């Protein structure tokens, strides 16, 4: 068995009384694309923010590439490429300056070459000297990918990377994710179920901070009935939860 | 290394932001007008003051420093780049140090530009250059300290206006502490007040041509402590998301 690149153990986050992530545990191996699925407010972003070292967990923990996210935070962070939900940019920088900046900040020695390489990889070479403020949304998303990939991390954490872009680019992003998932460990969040079905080797369904189901998309479907879409699987699970709450 | 990378980005930001130029122009205009006035007086009544520009700035920085630093963290928060910075494998203190050095370098540039006034003075009379140099070194350190106070408030709030306002209030209180110190007849009380104020370490020494190691150490200490506090604030913000 290959070593897990993401190892999450009873990870919990509370904001005051509200529990955003509730004792979540899972593993992800190299070459695996794991989909984090759930409706708005399920705790996807909060989970990712803890794994990337942005938010400290209230309880439990996780290891990235064998490094504890709390005790060995810098090494854990070195192994992660992160694309937040809303692509963070410096509008006054050019594409190249921006990627170069992150390459250097993440300690890349041949930063300029690396920056140019990932810019080519995400098809932005022609826009290399364009100010970011003038990029379209789809291009910004690709720029976000470039930033996350520039230090060639073994773990990629992508928070809803297909939100707000046109269908053609959604397909491109899915292809990219699958491609990257051949060698890297990818954790990918979405609330679009068919997307997870097409892109992920395994899905984890989060609801109100808790894992309510996980497995291969096909297995999850079989549990309900053979011709069910993941949509229906999801609704039945979430529906059952709601019933249990009452 | 991290600080150097952040520094380069910060200084580029200062040199491309119109607002930074507005502040630069305001500094030069203010000091220029007052210098001109002082020069005119110097022909008739008293000799020109070689510490004039630093003296003006020691008050003006109450307003300029927070204006220079207010966007520093607020903008990163707004654009979400703070999240990337804080998930990069770097320490908060390195980021804070880089940003400070960027702002300080910009302030240094402005100071050097006011050096023109010294050159003008030099061509007219023979000013006390030692006195001028001491005052400039003093205001350079003092300016650095006011910038770090501004940074603390920039890290505290996402609202730039609030950050600037609170920074000005804090610096104004420190300035008033020095003024109050001058009013006390009891020398011990006066010393306590002036030791606590930022300005007391400039106005009683550097400004009159006196370079004291303890004042240099005081400003270096303030800068270090404020940068440390700023880094702590960033660190603690992780807890709120
Ligand atoms: N900084 C915060 N302070 C207080 N509550 C928060 C904070 N961040 C998130 N929450 C709460 O935690 C819960 C989970 O939020 P989270 O953003 O992780 O959900 P999500 O699955 O990413 O949703 P979405 O699909 O809308 O992005 C929500 O109820 C949210 O209101
Ligand atoms: Mg989210």
């Amino acid at each position: 068995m290959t070593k897990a690149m993401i190892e999450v153990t009873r990870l919990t986050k509370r904001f005051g009384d509200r529990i955003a992530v509730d004792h979540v545990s899972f593993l992800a191996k190299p070459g695996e694309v794991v989909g984090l699925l759930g409706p708005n407010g399920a705790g996807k972003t909060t989970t990712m923010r803890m794994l990337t070292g942005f938010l400290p967990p209230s309880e439990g923990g996780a290891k990235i590439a064998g490094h504890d996210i709390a005790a060995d935070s810098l090494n854990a962070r070195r192994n992660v490429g992160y694309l937040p939900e809303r692509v963070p940019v410096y509008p006054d920088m050019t594409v190249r300056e921006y990627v170069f900046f992150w390459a250097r900040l993440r300690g890349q020695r041949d930063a300029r070459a690396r920056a140019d390489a990932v810019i080519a990889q995400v098809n932005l070479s022609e826009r290399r000297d364009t100010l970011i403020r003038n990029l379209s949304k789809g291009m910004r998303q690709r720029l976000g990918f470039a930033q996350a990939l520039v230090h060639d991390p073994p773990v990629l954490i992508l928070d809803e990377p297909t939100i707000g872009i046109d269908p053609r680019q959604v397909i491109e992003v899915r292809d990219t994710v699958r491609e990257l998932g051949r060698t890297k460990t990818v954790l990918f969040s979405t609330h679009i179920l068919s997307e997870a079905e097409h892109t992920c080797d395994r899905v984890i369904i989060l609801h109100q901070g808790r894992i309510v189901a996980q497995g291969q998309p096909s297995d999850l479907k079989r549990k309900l009935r053979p011709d069910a879409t993941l949509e229906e699987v999801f609704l039945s699970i979430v529906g059952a939860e709601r019933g249990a709450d009452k | 290394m991290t600080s150097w990378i952040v520094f380069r980005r910060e200084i580029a930001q200062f040199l491309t932001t119109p607002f930074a130029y507005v502040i630069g122009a305001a500094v030069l205009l203010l000091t220029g007008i007052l210098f001109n006035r002082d020069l005119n007086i110097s022909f008739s009544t008293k000799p020109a003051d070689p510490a004039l520009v630093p003296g003006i700035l020691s008050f003006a920085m109450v307003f300029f420093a927070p204006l220079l630093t207010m966007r520093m963290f607020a903008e990163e928060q707004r654009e979400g780049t703070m999240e990337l910075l804080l998930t990069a494998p770097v320490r908060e203190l390195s980021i804070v140090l880089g940003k400070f050095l960027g702002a300080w370098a910009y302030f240094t540039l402005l100071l050097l530009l006011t050096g023109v006034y010294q050159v003008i003075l030099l061509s007219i009379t023979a000013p006390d250059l030692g006195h001028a140099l001491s005052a400039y070194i003093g205001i350079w350190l003092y300016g650095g300290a006011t910038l770090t106070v501004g940074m603390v408030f920039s890290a505290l709030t996402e609202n730039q206006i609030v950050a600037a306002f609170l920074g000005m209030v804090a610096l104004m209180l420190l300035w008033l502490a020095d003024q109050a110190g001058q009013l006390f007849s009891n020398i011990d009380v006066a010393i306590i007040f002036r030791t606590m104020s930022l300005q007391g370490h400039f106005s009683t020494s550097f400004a009159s041509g006196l370079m004291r190691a303890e004042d240099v150490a005081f400003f270096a200490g303030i800068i270090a402590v404020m940068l440390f506090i700023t880094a702590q604030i960033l660190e603690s913000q992780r807890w709120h998301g």
Side-chain angles (χ1 to χ4, degrees), chain B residues 190-209:
Chain B
I191 285 173
I192 290 171
F193 261 82
R194 305 200 79 180
T195 310
M196 286 191 324
S197 77
L198 276 184
Q199 236 216 353
H201 292 266
F202 170 77
S203 55
T204 58
S205 51
F206 291 110
S208 39

Side-chain angles (χ1 to χ4, degrees), chain A residues 15-31:
Chain A
F15 294 107
D17 304 338
R18 151 172 251 128
I19 187 153
V21 176
D22 192 355
H23 297 87
V24 163
S25 306
F26 65 91
L27 296 177
K29 287 179 246 159

Side-chain angles (χ1 to χ4, degrees), chain B residues 34 55 75 90 119 124 135 176 186 205 215 233:
Chain B
L34 293 174
E75 223 161 66
V90 297
V119 175
I124 298 170
L176 286 175
N186 182 325
S205 51
D215 293 322
I233 293 170

Side-chain angles (χ1 to χ4, degrees), chain A residues 15 18 20 39-46 85 160 191, chain B residues 240-241:
Chain A
F15 294 107
R18 151 172 251 128
N40 294 128
K44 305 180 295 289
T45 299
T46 307
E85 205 165 339
E160 305 205 23
H191 58 256
Chain B
H240 311 299

Side-chain angles (χ1 to χ4, degrees), chain B residues 156-223:
Chain B
L156 267 180
T157 165
E158 275 184 45
N159 186 322
Q160 303 198 18
I161 309 291
V162 173
F165 177 75
L166 291 178
M168 287 176 193
V169 169
L171 287 171
M172 184 57 104
L173 286 177
L174 287 170
W175 185 81
L176 286 175
D178 182 57
Q179 299 299 306
Q182 296 182 13
L183 296 176
F184 284 102
S185 49
N186 182 325
I187 194 81
D188 290 330
V189 178
I191 285 173
I192 290 171
F193 261 82
R194 305 200 79 180
T195 310
M196 286 191 324
S197 77
L198 276 184
Q199 236 216 353
H201 292 266
F202 170 77
S203 55
T204 58
S205 51
F206 291 110
S208 39
L210 207 64
M211 278 212 264
R212 289 188 307 210
E214 68 220 61
D215 293 322
V216 175
F218 173 81
F219 285 126
I222 289 287
I223 289 172

Side-chain angles (χ1 to χ4, degrees), chain A residues 25-58:
Chain A
S25 306
F26 65 91
L27 296 177
K29 287 179 246 159
E32 212 175 9
V33 178
V34 176
L36 209 51
L37 228 95
N40 294 128
K44 305 180 295 289
T45 299
T46 307
T47 303
M48 292 182 149
R49 283 181 159 176
M50 287 190 280
L51 294 180
T52 52
F54 180 62
L55 282 178
S58 313

